[in-house]
Amino acid sequence: MTTINTLVSTQDVIDFVEHEADLADTHRVQEWLELWNPDRALYFVPYGDDEEGSLRVALIRDGYGQLCQRIQRLTSGSAHAQNPPSQLCRVMSRITTREGEDGSVVARSKFVCVESRPGRDVLWAGTTLHTVAVRPAGGGLELWRKEVRLVNSQKEIPPLAFLI
């Protein structure tokens, strides 16, 4: 078994990333939220893929508080763009890992996600970067950052309410 650092194996990170995607696809949003470290959470969907840094234009740039609000809207029925919820199927491939900062691990993967809604089917594709680390109290891994680089981010985009 390959280890990235002394605390986590490559397979553990791959399993975590696949589990995170499955929770999102099956709308198990409370479980999905529990994956995050509240003090480090950043969910980022940049507009385009050209620039780096904090001034980058983003479709989504959520910290933990905004993620909690997003989940609350999705579960309250007030997210009308997700009533009924989209049917989702995400296929991930080429998950690679490298050491990150502060003992974290960065997993990079390609994905294709089909979103099906009454009257509309959308094919999303891109690259996801997950930054994960071992929970301080043990008990597995936690998510610090998720960056979704959509191939089709510079086109007219329907509501992204489903995207977590």
Side-chain angles (χ1 to χ4, degrees):
M1 180 180 339
T2 305
T3 58
I4 300 161
N5 61 36
T6 58
L7 300 175
V8 64
S9 73
T10 301
Q11 190 60 52
D12 288 340
V13 174
I14 291 169
D15 291 347
F16 180 87
V17 167
E18 290 174 344
H19 177 65
E20 184 269 340
D22 185 56
L23 292 176
D25 284 355
T26 57
H27 306 288
R28 294 174 10 223
V29 293
Q30 288 297 75
E31 291 174 69
W32 179 86
L33 186 61
E34 291 170 7
L35 297 177
W36 288 87
N37 175 315
D39 297 324
R40 291 190 169 256
L42 177 62
Y43 182 50
F44 185 58
V45 182
Y47 176 79
D49 198 24
D50 299 332
E51 301 173 36
E52 295 294 333
S54 61
L55 297 178
R56 219 168 149 184
V57 175
L59 301 169
I60 298 172
R61 185 190 312 267
D62 287 353
Y64 190 75
Q66 292 93 353
L67 289 173
C68 290
Q69 291 172 358
R70 180 184 298 274
I71 297 307
Q72 193 279 327
R73 272 192 314 276
L74 287 171
T75 58
S76 71
S78 66
H80 299 294
Q82 284 298 295
N83 193 5
S86 295
Q87 296 298 307
L88 303 170
C89 182
R90 187 177 335 235
V91 178
M92 300 170 63
S93 70
R94 299 184 45 148
I95 300 174
T96 59
T97 59
R98 64 175 171 80
E99 284 192 54
E101 297 177 16
D102 298 329
S104 69
V105 176
V106 178
R108 183 178 191 273
S109 60
K110 302 288 186 181
F111 74 92
V112 174
C113 181
V114 175
E115 178 196 14
S116 183
R117 299 206 39 74
R120 181 183 87 212
D121 290 328
V122 179
L123 181 65
W124 302 95
T127 302
T128 304
L129 300 171
H130 289 81
T131 303
V132 302
V134 175
R135 290 188 185 273
L141 299 174
E142 63 185 12
L143 187 53
W144 287 4
R145 178 184 169 104
K146 180 178 179 181
E147 181 174 335
V148 180
R149 298 177 182 173
L150 295 169
V151 169
N152 40 346
S153 69
Q154 295 185 7
K155 296 173 59 178
E156 183 178 337
I157 295 180
L160 292 172
F162 78 92
L163 192 58
I164 59 169

